[in-house]
Amino acid sequence: MAQNKPTTDEHYIPQCYLKQFSSDGERIYQYDVLSGKQTPVPVPTKSVCYQKHLYEFRDSSGAFAYRNLIEKSFGIYEGEFAKTFRSVISKSRIEANYHTLCFLSPKEKALLVFFLSTMIVRNPDILQTAQETALEFFGDQITEISARNLALQTCLPIYKALDTEERNLLNPVMWFFEDMSFQIGVADSEVFFTSDSPVILFGTNQPVKLDEVIMPISPNIVLFMKPYDNTRRGFYNRLTELRPEDIKYVNKAVVTHCKRWIYSQTPLTDKQIKWITKERASY
């Protein structure tokens, strides 16, 4: 029996997320904010937001070791992420849920926090920074291959049982989201797009503190997170209808924080492209 070929194109933005912005579950439109060009036809989600061998460990000779270990772990988690997205989208269509004080279940909240956290630490720039930090710290005592392996192990310990006491980067990133409230905002039409950097963080650097988190979930649903305030507890974990100014605020955050690519369910109009260009120029 032939063995399955190992995965080589490893995505830093999961397909299970990008597919929420696809009309057919497979393809998506993309717009390049650097060149100002939009693809004339939608492209497969598997063909965007990846790097070859991004999450692979190597031995001292440079050969792959534990091939696809992290990638396979992501595959398991992403199945749960996809279920959570579908659940949130489905529940958001039920009018009675606008009146509940606990819209998201504890499991849904936990999975969304884990998704946000892994999206941050699986970013190629973060992995590269971790590798460079290891090289700088250990100097001649470490090779580039060993530094890369250490960066993967430190940022993405998802291939083993997670230990909250373990010293890694994933744990403190998840702690950033402790004591934050959840709100799911719903637009009355499909107005949101996303990007190659869809988790948008607002906050101060010293000390590290998150003031707000935004992530579009679908073309008409967005997640907001803010520090929890016990005096306003009735406003948290709610499903809310969004105003035009809320929609503009979300899309502005998306276009000003993207690295290069904006992704959408339908082609961007000339009016949208002009607005994107203006917002990025003034940011």
Side-chain angles (χ1 to χ4, degrees):
M1 177 182 289
Q3 294 183 342
N4 293 331
K5 291 183 178 180
T7 299
T8 58
D9 299 343
E10 300 178 344
H11 293 79
Y12 51 90
I13 306 294
Q15 293 185 70
C16 70
Y17 172 76
L18 292 173
K19 286 180 178 180
Q20 308 309 316
F21 295 83
S22 168
S23 60
D24 62 1
E26 297 294 334
R27 296 174 299 170
I28 196 168
Y29 284 91
Q30 62 177 359
Y31 173 73
D32 186 345
V33 299
L34 300 183
S35 69
K37 295 181 179 179
Q38 180 170 218
T39 54
V41 296
V43 299
T45 56
K46 65 182 181 181
S47 70
V48 302
C49 295
Y50 73 87
Q51 286 187 12
K52 289 191 177 295
H53 314 305
L54 178 60
Y55 306 121
E56 295 303 323
F57 293 103
R58 297 176 187 264
D59 63 22
S60 57
S61 69
F64 293 117
Y66 311 109
R67 192 72 190 273
N68 283 170
L69 178 63
I70 294 176
E71 183 73 6
K72 290 175 181 176
S73 299
F74 270 134
I76 296 171
Y77 289 120
E78 286 166 10
E80 293 300 313
F81 296 152
K83 291 179 184 177
T84 301
F85 295 145
R86 290 195 296 268
S87 174
V88 173
I89 292 170
S90 177
K91 293 197 303 181
S92 71
R93 297 178 179 136
I94 302 173
E95 187 172 350
N97 282 333
Y98 284 100
H99 307 291
T100 182
L101 298 182
C102 294
F103 176 68
L104 295 173
S105 70
K107 182 178 180 180
E108 288 168 339
K109 291 194 293 183
L111 281 166
L112 285 171
V113 165
F114 191 53
F115 178 79
L116 293 169
S117 302
T118 56
M119 287 282 280
I120 292 170
V121 295
R122 72 192 290 179
N123 184 290
D125 293 339
I126 295 296
L127 295 175
Q128 182 64 31
T129 298
Q131 179 180 349
E132 292 170 356
T133 300
L135 286 168
E136 182 179 354
F137 182 82
F138 290 102
D140 295 338
Q141 303 176 55
I142 196 171
T143 65
E144 285 201 15
I145 289 176
S146 295
R148 182 65 177 187
N149 289 342
L150 182 59
L152 291 170
Q153 183 179 355
T154 302
C155 293
L156 298 170
I158 64 168
Y159 50 87
K160 55 186 178 179
L162 294 175
D163 182 356
T164 57
E165 300 299 321
E166 184 180 9
R167 297 182 66 180
N168 56 50
L169 184 58
L170 180 59
N171 279 334
V173 169
M174 287 193 289
W175 296 336
F176 288 157
F177 299 106
E178 281 191 334
D179 298 323
M180 295 196 75
S181 66
F182 294 76
Q183 286 195 3
I184 299 295
V186 181
D188 59 8
S189 60
E190 297 175 331
V191 292
F192 295 127
F193 26 77
T194 190
S195 78
D196 54 2
S197 184
V199 179
I200 303 159
L201 308 176
F202 294 99
T204 56
N205 292 323
Q206 297 295 334
V208 176
K209 177 185 176 183
L210 292 178
D211 297 321
E212 185 176 28
V213 179
I214 298 174
M215 184 185 73
I217 292 178
S218 79
N220 71 315
I221 296 174
V222 62
L223 167 68
F224 296 97
M225 297 181 69
K226 292 186 177 182
Y228 187 82
D229 179 352
N230 192 56
T231 63
R232 303 181 71 246
R233 60 183 304 172
F235 291 91
Y236 299 139
N237 196 5
R238 299 293 298 272
L239 180 71
T240 59
E241 293 180 279
L242 297 177
R243 304 164 299 175
E245 54 265 38
D246 300 323
I247 295 168
K248 184 177 181 180
Y249 177 70
V250 171
N251 279 336
K252 179 177 180 178
V254 170
V255 303
T256 55
H257 285 78
C258 79
K259 296 178 183 177
R260 179 174 180 179
W261 300 101
I262 291 174
Y263 300 104
S264 59
Q265 185 180 68
T266 57
L268 299 178
T269 65
D270 290 341
K271 182 178 180 180
Q272 287 175 315
I273 290 174
K274 289 180 180 179
W275 178 79
I276 289 170
T277 302
K278 178 182 176 182
E279 291 297 330
R280 286 187 62 85
S282 60
Y283 181 67

